[in-house]
Structure formats: structure tokens, C-alpha cells
């Protein structure tokens, strides 16, 4: 999914630092965040190692966990939920982008996954 009103980036434009569990050096401000807005069960199955998890419905109540100085890449399963979250974040002053194709595109691109079970997967 995409929308001309919401900035989107392809999977290869998402910083490679999110392929690691600790994308930035401890104690240094992160220049970017990868925000996964999927539900808890989706997150448990598979996720980007460097992502932070805030389900879509919880984003307004948890804005204090985000950094206004960082670029925020918003990801969901395929892009449908990330679009309204990006629009909301932009409306309240964040620099945000929807990740086109979501975590399905992440897995198809061969980027690393981690999960709570034996084998991390998106689909």
C-alpha cells in the first residue's frame, strides 16, 4: 500500500543498522528509529533485530518513547497500518516514513529476523 500524502521508502532505504539488535552505540542519540506497529503476536513471530515495538493503537499514548530528533521508519506487516501511523506522527511533529511492503518485504529482501520461537518468520 502507499499514499501520495505519506512519505514512504523502499526496504533497501531502511538503514542497515536496524539489522542489528543494538543499531547505535549505547549512550548516543539514535539518528533513526525503526518502529514496528504490528500486534504482539505478529511481533513474537518475527521482527527486525533493531526495531522497537509499539502496537498501532498504543502509539498516541506512548509518544514519549519516541525521539523528535530521530527519523522514524514505521513498519507493519505489508504497509496498511504504517500509513496512518506515519500521518499521525507527522501531524504531531515527527519526521516519519512508511516502509513500503512492511515486514513481508523485509523478509523477502533477506534481511535478518529475530523472534520468540524456534524460527523467526513473517509469513
Amino acid at each position: 500500500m502507499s499514499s501520495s500524502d505519506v512519505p514512504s521508502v523502499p526496504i533497501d532505504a531502511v538503514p542497515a543498522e536496524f539489522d542489528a539488535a543494538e543499531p547505535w552505540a549505547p549512550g548516543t542519540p539514535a539518528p533513526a528509529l525503526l518502529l514496528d506497529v504490528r500486534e504482539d503476536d505478529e511481533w513474537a513471530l518475527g521482527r527486525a533485530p533493531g526495531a522497537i515495538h509499539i502496537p498501532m493503537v498504543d502509539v498516541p499514548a506512548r509518544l514519549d518513547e519516541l525521539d523528535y530528533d530521530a527519523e522514524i521508519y514505521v513498519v507493519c506487516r505489508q504497509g496498511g497500518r504504517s500509513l496512518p501511523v506515519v500521518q499521525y506522527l507527522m501531524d504531531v511533529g515527527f519526521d516519519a516514513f512508511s516502509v513500503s511492503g512492511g515486514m513481508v518485504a523485509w523478509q523477502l529482501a533477506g534481511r535478518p529476523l529475530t523472534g520468540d520461537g524456534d524460527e523467526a518468520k513473517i509469513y
Side-chain angles (χ1 to χ4, degrees):
M1 294 189 74
S2 66
S3 171
S4 60
D5 298 336
V6 176
S8 297
V9 296
I11 200 72
D12 62 352
V14 176
E17 285 83 358
F18 297 123
D19 291 354
E22 300 222 10
W24 317 107
T28 61
L33 301 171
L34 179 60
L35 173 62
D36 191 322
V37 297
R38 296 175 301 145
E39 296 298 319
D40 292 338
D41 60 328
E42 296 172 290
W43 169 264
L45 284 175
R47 58 191 173 269
I52 61 169
H53 181 229
I54 302 176
M56 178 181 180
V57 298
D58 295 336
V59 170
R62 295 175 59 186
L63 287 178
D64 60 333
E65 296 176 40
L66 304 176
D67 183 352
Y68 279 96
D69 293 327
E71 289 183 334
I72 301 178
Y73 295 85
V74 181
V75 67
C76 60
R77 187 175 195 285
Q78 290 184 286
R81 288 171 278 185
S82 63
L83 292 172
V85 171
V86 167
Q87 186 64 62
Y88 172 75
L89 291 174
M90 290 172 41
D91 289 347
V92 297
F94 288 94
D95 188 13
F97 306 89
S98 175
V99 177
S100 300
M103 289 304 298
V104 168
W106 184 280
Q107 183 172 332
L108 286 172
R111 294 190 69 173
L113 292 169
T114 190
D116 294 349
D118 292 336
E119 178 185 354
K121 63 180 181 171
I122 305 304
Y123 55 89

